[in-house]
Amino acid sequence: MPRNGSPAPVTAPRKPRPRVETRLALVRRARRINRELAALYPDAHCELDFTSPLELLVATILSAQCTDRRVNAVTPALFARYRTAEDYAAADREELERMIQSTGFFRAKTNNIMKLGHDLCERFDGEVPGTLDELVTLAGVGRKTANVVLGNAFGVPGITVDTHFGRLARRFGWTADTDPVKVEHEVGALIPRKEWSILSHRLIWHGRRICHARRPACGVCPLVRLCPAYGEGPTDEATARKLVKEGPFS
């Protein structure tokens, strides 16, 4: 995508990709897609604002069923009020609920965040642990949230399988599975481990901007020659270009 954010015109494939793809061909295609996405989104990054592992952990919990933009609107005041795990553990429930209400499911999120603060104080001396096995024992933290924190706050490679990542991985033919853990492992076997975290951002960015759930902008997608799902969305360039969302989404 040029610097102005508009995808360059693309030429449709002359013939469909063969139905049978060897393992070696799949690995090569997956890694080429990763390289193409790297060129398309050189600035891909986590779109949640944070300055510490604790802030990112809380922001990621808040992002469930909520946009990053909304979370980023809420967290400046939240992070100024609650600076440590001890602060969250001792939070006034009604105050915390009011502060995060606009992110949705605020009562459940409040429960998780307060329990998270308590768990961190009781078991980790108030610090966010830096391993997957430890993170997933915390309230409100599954593998997706844990991998977000590991990859972006600790520099530990991890694949974040959100709705965008799962959708694109299936469209690319990297997996046929819908279970996030299986998707994580199958994609991880195709892409070098050092690339896992940034790959997650690249797929999420592409999913938000071009490869939408209902009407992907196939007609302007630079990956058409590599994508078995080409044609799920409009292939006409003029129609497809209207579907592109420029971002940023934070």
Side-chain angles (χ1 to χ4, degrees):
M1 183 182 295
R3 291 292 182 177
N4 63 8
S6 298
V10 295
T11 303
R14 294 181 179 178
K15 58 182 179 180
R17 180 169 297 280
R19 291 181 179 274
V20 178
E21 185 175 36
T22 67
R23 177 68 181 181
L24 178 59
L26 172 60
V27 170
R28 287 176 172 172
R29 184 170 61 83
R31 295 185 180 189
R32 184 176 174 189
I33 288 175
N34 184 39
R35 292 194 296 272
E36 294 287 338
L37 289 170
L40 191 60
Y41 306 110
D43 302 319
H45 59 273
C46 177
E47 294 188 284
L48 291 170
D49 296 336
F50 69 97
T51 62
S52 70
L54 179 60
E55 289 185 357
L56 180 57
L57 185 53
V58 171
T60 307
I61 291 172
L62 292 177
S63 70
Q65 303 297 312
C66 182
T67 65
D68 289 355
R69 186 188 298 273
R70 169 49 52 188
V71 174
N72 289 340
V74 166
T75 51
L78 183 71
F79 294 160
R81 176 67 179 86
Y82 302 99
R83 298 180 179 275
T84 67
E86 291 88 344
D87 292 339
Y88 287 112
D92 177 272
R93 180 178 298 274
E94 291 185 359
E95 177 189 58
L96 183 53
E97 286 182 352
R98 285 195 300 272
M99 295 188 77
I100 69 171
Q101 184 172 2
S102 64
T103 68
F105 302 97
F106 63 92
R107 292 189 178 89
K109 291 177 182 179
T110 295
N111 287 337
N112 284 333
I113 291 171
M114 292 180 67
K115 180 70 162 54
L116 169 71
H118 180 269
D119 288 349
L120 290 175
C121 292
E122 287 292 309
R123 297 194 282 121
F124 299 105
D125 296 323
E127 299 296 325
V128 176
T131 70
L132 180 66
D133 288 344
E134 291 173 319
L135 282 166
V136 295
T137 67
L138 299 170
V141 180
R143 289 184 69 93
K144 182 180 78 171
T145 297
N147 279 323
V148 169
V149 174
L150 289 173
N152 297 284
F154 291 106
V156 177
I159 292 176
T160 303
V161 184
D162 73 347
T163 56
H164 299 292
F165 190 103
R167 178 176 73 253
L168 269 64
R170 287 185 289 274
R171 282 179 176 168
F172 292 158
W174 294 355
T175 180
D177 224 301
T178 57
D179 179 80
V181 176
K182 292 180 180 178
V183 172
E184 179 185 335
H185 290 311
E186 289 188 28
V187 174
L190 301 174
I191 304 294
R193 185 173 184 271
K194 65 181 180 180
E195 289 282 296
W196 287 355
S197 296
I198 190 62
L199 172 72
S200 300
H201 295 315
R202 290 167 184 160
L203 260 68
I204 290 169
W205 277 43
H206 194 59
R208 287 174 170 173
R209 290 157 175 78
I210 293 178
C211 196
H212 312 303
R214 294 185 179 180
R215 297 188 75 201
C218 292
V220 292
C221 180
L223 302 177
V224 293
R225 290 185 175 275
L226 300 169
C227 182
Y230 173 77
E232 284 194 14
T235 58
D236 172 71
E237 181 187 339
T239 302
R241 192 171 298 282
K242 295 177 183 178
L243 300 175
V244 175
K245 297 181 180 179
E246 304 296 344
F249 292 89
S250 59

